[in-house]
Amino acid sequence: MLAQWIWGARRSFIDVSFCGAVHVDSVHADIVVVGGGIIGSCVAFYLAKSGADVVVLDPEPGQGSSAGNAGMLVPSQSVPFASPATVAAWVAALASRDSTISFRRPVPLSLVPWFARMAIEARPGRARRATRNLFELAGKSLHLYQEMVDNEGIDLHLRPVGSLRVFRSVVALERQRRALDELAGCGAEFEMLGPRKLREIEPALRTGLAGAIKFPHDRSLDPARATRAIADAARARGAQFRAERVVGFQRAGGRVVMVRTDRGCLSADEFVVAAGAASAQVGKLLGARLPVRAGYGLSVTYPTGSPLLRSSVMLEEEHVVINSRESWVRLTTGMEFGGTAHDRPGAGAVRRLDAVTRAYVPTLPAHDTAQPPWRGARPMTPSGTPCIGRIAANVIAATGHGTLGMTLGPVTGHLVSSLVAG
Ligand SMILES: Cc1cc2nc3c(=O)[nH]c(=O)nc-3n(C[C@H](O)[C@H](O)[C@H](O)COP(=O)(O)OP(=O)(O)OC[C@H]3O[C@@H](n4cnc5c(N)ncnc54)[C@H](O)[C@@H]3O)c2cc1C
């Protein structure tokens, strides 16, 4: 059928056949952002602040991976997922269920080339370069978070308490200390704590632990609340959030000119893909291959009357992260490949998370007070570094933040805004 062209509200053409029977919404924006998680919200914030007319499309903004994660802002975790240690862990994962990484069986075949690429990216030279880049980006991002609070009045409730990597075995503690040379070379500061010092700092942890490594400059926040606050700040600067799912794009003259949603069409000058773990699917609609796969994790949140722990704590040998806030404490764990976004967290995994944590923190609130467990998809890339850059003449990717999306949100928004500004 021949396309029938009509004028849009401002300066664009709208192809009615592309929009189908849905109503032709003649809205034009300077920039359309697909995805309203922490990344899309930060992108919208910096673009709106620079004066751009921004529309964010997301059927459920803030309800993806940015909702129930651990909320740690951690330059100290800049060693990328693609590292020699991770390759060893995923090989072990194929044989055992008790590993950092797990696979929902049957393992999808499409993951094989992705993991092959990860093995290449995990070579020590590349992993070292990636660590330096991530550390620098994370440091800048923490600075931008602070600027959001100090200069823009955004209420982020940053908790400047540092983080502790806690160990029960002296051997594991020593091994980890040696592995930190690379981070130290990037400028990361940390302090070794023996068992007595650890008890002084964190009396809620059980006795008999080997010690901990303290990273004084890490921070934490409430991820859902912070994402909402940044989205609200973007709205206050003129960004529009529309509860619409992107289902297609239209190209003309080598550029993307329009996006189709489940409710209508929008034309724009620039498009940003910030759809988290769904970015590969959105990229496909654009004819672009984004190497993003979902790495699922789970969290359980318990109400508390006051912070259970003073710092954010990582139980290194158990792969558990504990974020203590004023009125809740959240445990997170897991990196599962395979399955779908609709799968529920496994009951066994939730029980194990509770039991393992309770063995370190005996005063953890009663199990039956916990909120329903949450499962979220980290947008993983084989290199362990995000994809931020142009993937077509007027399309920018801002995705693939993996285990560090909360940490890297502001710096990503800032970078995208600079890219748009040329
Ligand atoms: C258990 C767990 C713990 C974590 N802990 C930390 C931590 O402590 N610190 C840290 O820095 N990071 C952490 N992360 C990682 C972090 O949560 C993610 O990297 C980050 O939230 C990714 O943000 P995002 O905006 O890219 O994705 P999301 O928050 O998932 O947002 C993507 C959005 O895109 C939307 N979308 C998808 N498809 C479409 C479409 N077709 N049209 C329109 N919209 C669409 C979705 O509705 C969603 O709202 C953790 C993750 C998990 C799972």
Side-chain angles (χ1 to χ4, degrees), residues 270-274 387-392 394-398 415-417 419-420:
E270 297 263 4
F271 297 82
V272 179
V273 179
C387 314
I388 307 170
R390 285 200 183 274
I391 52 169
N394 62 336
V395 183
I396 295 171
L415 282 170
V416 170
S417 164
L419 271 172
V420 169

Side-chain angles (χ1 to χ4, degrees), residues 69-88:
N69 66 67
M72 310 266 288
L73 307 180
V74 274
S76 70
Q77 295 285 337
S78 295
V79 176
F81 183 71
S83 69
T86 319
V87 173

Side-chain angles (χ1 to χ4, degrees), residues 190-255:
F190 56 87
E191 185 189 346
M192 302 301 292
L193 307 179
R196 186 177 307 163
K197 191 75 200 263
L198 176 58
R199 280 284 293 169
E200 261 173 50
I201 292 186
E202 287 296 354
L205 288 175
R206 76 162 163 89
T207 52
L209 294 168
I213 307 174
K214 181 178 167 77
F215 295 88
H217 302 303
D218 286 350
R219 292 171 168 221
S220 78
L221 42 64
D222 173 340
R225 181 173 173 167
T227 303
R228 214 168 29 245
I230 295 170
D232 286 346
R235 280 191 193 91
R237 285 153 186 80
Q240 253 189 76
F241 281 63
R242 298 170 61 138
E244 301 181 30
R245 175 175 300 281
V246 169
V247 295
F249 292 91
Q250 191 187 25
R251 288 174 172 272
R255 294 172 70 81

Side-chain angles (χ1 to χ4, degrees), residues 33-41 57-74 223 227 244-247 274-279 281-282 285 295-299 321 331-334 374-379 398-408:
V33 180
V34 184
I38 185 66
I39 302 299
S41 298
L57 300 174
D58 190 326
E60 295 179 301
Q63 298 302 304
S65 187
S66 305
N69 66 67
M72 310 266 288
L73 307 180
V74 274
T227 303
E244 301 181 30
R245 175 175 300 281
V246 169
V247 295
S279 294
Q281 287 88 311
V282 174
L285 299 173
Y296 295 98
L298 73 93
S299 72
V321 175
L331 320 178
T332 63
T333 194
W374 173 89
R375 184 169 182 270
R378 300 179 189 85
T399 185
H401 294 77
T403 55
L404 286 175
M406 288 313 296
T407 308
L408 299 177

Side-chain angles (χ1 to χ4, degrees), residues 290-418:
L290 288 167
V292 178
R293 296 289 178 279
Y296 295 98
L298 73 93
S299 72
V300 182
T301 306
Y302 304 76
T304 55
S306 57
L308 187 64
L309 295 159
R310 293 175 184 165
S311 323
S312 299
V313 167
M314 287 163 239
L315 309 177
E316 277 292 309
E317 290 128 304
E318 323 296 347
H319 318 297
V320 170
V321 175
I322 311 174
N323 181 3
S324 281
R325 305 289 300 177
E326 289 70 19
S327 58
W328 51 258
V329 60
R330 175 168 298 159
L331 320 178
T332 63
T333 194
M335 175 69 80
E336 185 180 62
F337 290 92
T340 73
H342 308 293
D343 293 334
R344 316 264 328 136
V350 173
R351 265 197 309 277
R352 179 183 170 276
L353 175 59
D354 179 277
V356 158
T357 311
R358 208 170 284 284
Y360 285 76
V361 191
T363 49
L364 191 68
H367 177 58
D368 55 12
T369 61
Q371 294 166 16
W374 173 89
R375 184 169 182 270
R378 300 179 189 85
M380 304 299 293
T381 61
S383 64
T385 53
C387 314
I388 307 170
R390 285 200 183 274
I391 52 169
N394 62 336
V395 183
I396 295 171
T399 185
H401 294 77
T403 55
L404 286 175
M406 288 313 296
T407 308
L408 299 177
V411 77
T412 304
H414 206 265
L415 282 170
V416 170
S417 164
S418 308

